[in-house]
Amino acid sequence: MDFTSLPHGAFTLANVTVPACLVGQEGDLVRIDMGIEAGHIASPGGVAVDMRGAMVLPCFTDMHTHLDKGHIWPRASNPDGTFMGALTTVRADHVNWSEDDLKARMGFSLQCAWAHGTKQIRTHLDSADGQYLRSWPVFSDLRETWTGRIELQAASLVSCEAYGTEEYPKIARTVAEHGGVLGMVTYPVPDIKERLLGHFATADAHGLDVDFHTDETMDASSETLRMIAETVLETGYKGRVVVGHCCSLSTQDEARALDTLDLCARAGLHVVSLPMCNLYLQDRGTGTPRRRGVTLVHEMRARGIPVSFASDNTRDPFYAYGDMDMVEVLREATRIAHLDHCETDWIKSFTLAPEATCGFGVSSLEQRAPADLVIFRARDWTEFFARPQSDRIVMRGGEAIDRKLPDYSDLDNLWKTS
């Protein structure tokens, strides 16, 4: 239940707490009065509601998800919690990914994201072995259904070894037809450079941006991130280049890792960190994990590399938990990557940075911006992070929405066997 009720029409959220960086001020958190009128942020006016310091944030952007895999855990759980266990389990489950199955699970995740306060999502879609023929039409239908509530983008997900197959150009054409992003998983195969050159050339020919799953491993010798940056610099590719995960950086020699980041900055790469999934999969064995897979986000930001954080997987073999809740991502990323006791504008990595990286509309807490807001009882960051903020208010177009979450039993029919 929302922690308070708000009036309709024109009113003022009086005495609210907002990040200074989102209202053009210096510092961390500041107190302001925020008017709401005709679905937009406005000058204070109308009925004034004393919010007692409640924190206000813009709605979130979740720029790296896997809606097509979401919620298959009840029938396809990871046998050992490892990356390979996840990969083989998902591949075996593809046989179940019918139109009805995909639509039910993806829609469930979108309902969760909507209720939690997310307004823009990029999802990767498994596309190899004919899956593009099933998943992309479902995505297109859902994008139309959710118009006006959640803006959706999609990126193809294929391994780097898919390049050169008969199917690869068909996938690229499908991505272009749906206005998507050309994605790829990179790892150090012997001819990775040729595959990267081909991937960039294909993207350029179709006018597409690219989005990579990169070095999702603790193996320090995996340096495809470096090769991506070098390839961008060599080819002069002009589209947006997103690299996700980048886990092996955390295990590499410091000088080598930082030199790679210098290349990434020169190449204009955008990074998305997925700390919850990496924490779940990386360095898993029989004993206590030592290395947790978080990439070098502070060092990236110091070089001007745009850094975002996102959910990644939800209740599937790659991550058994999650609820499409960017507040959880913000809370866990802050703890895992030590986003506290440093710069005060990391909130941009959950809002403005992913919006800019994906080319979504830009959020703001300034006047005339759409009143698409998430309001929390918490008055400062320690209160915000100490509790799950389950009584938040989600406002879209100046009106509080119904935040009822779908029940897991809604998917029970997908697990029934004959």
Side-chain angles (χ1 to χ4, degrees), residues 168 172 182 198-210 237:
Y168 176 86
L182 197 62
H199 191 68
F200 277 110
T202 303
D204 192 48
H206 289 284
L208 299 173
D209 292 336
V210 293
Y237 175 76

Side-chain angles (χ1 to χ4, degrees), residues 3-311:
F3 72 88
T4 191
S5 59
L6 297 174
H8 302 283
F11 61 95
T12 294
L13 297 170
N15 191 23
V16 294
T17 301
V18 298
C21 64
L22 298 183
V23 290
Q25 298 187 34
E26 298 293 327
D28 188 359
L29 297 172
V30 295
R31 292 281 181 96
I32 66 170
D33 293 341
M34 180 182 294
I36 306 294
E37 184 176 359
H40 289 74
I41 299 172
S43 300
V47 177
V49 181
D50 185 4
M51 299 300 291
R52 301 181 180 180
M55 189 180 297
V56 178
L57 299 177
C59 284
F60 297 101
T61 294
D62 199 348
M63 68 158 289
H64 183 123
T65 69
H66 292 266
L67 298 179
D68 58 345
K69 294 183 177 72
H71 302 285
I72 64 173
W73 186 271
R75 72 175 180 222
S77 59
N78 190 321
D80 56 10
T82 65
F83 186 91
M84 190 53 64
L87 194 64
T88 56
T89 301
V90 167
R91 284 174 177 169
D93 193 60
H94 278 165
V95 67
N96 296 309
W97 291 18
S98 65
E99 178 182 345
D100 289 344
D101 178 78
L102 284 163
K103 190 166 291 186
R105 293 186 292 97
M106 293 172 74
F108 189 100
S109 287
L110 289 171
Q111 288 284 355
C112 295
W114 164 259
H116 290 312
T118 292
K119 67 178 290 187
Q120 295 164 148
I121 292 174
R122 175 180 288 184
T123 181
H124 294 261
L125 299 176
D126 285 16
S127 297
D129 300 322
Q131 190 60 45
Y132 72 97
L133 295 170
R134 296 180 288 277
S135 296
W136 282 83
V138 171
F139 165 79
S140 182
D141 289 346
L142 286 170
R143 179 171 56 184
E144 183 174 349
T145 299
W146 281 85
T147 297
R149 291 179 290 169
I150 296 179
E151 186 176 353
L152 292 170
Q153 290 181 354
S156 57
L157 184 63
V158 299
S159 77
C160 54
E161 293 175 283
Y163 179 78
T165 65
E166 292 183 2
E167 188 179 53
Y168 176 86
K170 299 176 183 177
I171 293 171
R173 286 196 295 272
T174 298
V175 173
E177 289 166 1
H178 288 275
V181 177
L182 197 62
M184 175 179 277
V185 181
T186 60
Y187 42 88
V189 294
D191 57 350
I192 182 62
K193 186 57 178 290
E194 288 72 21
R195 295 177 184 275
L196 287 174
L197 286 168
H199 191 68
F200 277 110
T202 303
D204 192 48
H206 289 284
L208 299 173
D209 292 336
V210 293
D211 193 327
F212 294 98
H213 284 63
T214 308
D215 298 330
E216 193 176 355
T217 175
M218 292 286 90
D219 181 356
S221 68
S222 185
E223 292 191 299
T224 64
L225 173 63
R226 187 180 185 89
M227 298 188 76
I228 290 168
E230 290 172 341
T231 304
V232 171
L233 291 170
E234 291 170 13
T235 62
Y237 175 76
K238 300 301 183 184
R240 291 190 184 93
V241 182
V242 176
V243 287
H245 295 289
C246 310
C247 303
S248 66
L249 277 176
S250 66
T251 64
Q252 292 170 3
D253 173 79
E254 181 82 356
R256 180 68 170 182
L258 297 183
D259 186 64
T260 294
L261 292 185
D262 290 339
L263 284 173
C264 291
R266 286 173 52 202
L269 304 192
H270 297 241
V271 174
V272 57
S273 177
L274 299 312
M276 297 193 303
C277 185
N278 293 149
L279 199 71
Y280 179 78
L281 289 174
Q282 299 304 316
D283 206 25
R284 185 180 287 272
T286 57
T288 304
R290 270 73 161 180
R291 302 176 299 176
R292 305 320 312 273
V294 62
T295 195
L296 308 185
V297 293
H298 292 274
E299 293 79 0
M300 292 168 175
R301 280 227 358 195
R303 287 161 172 76
I305 298 171
V307 176
S308 302
F309 292 87
S311 292

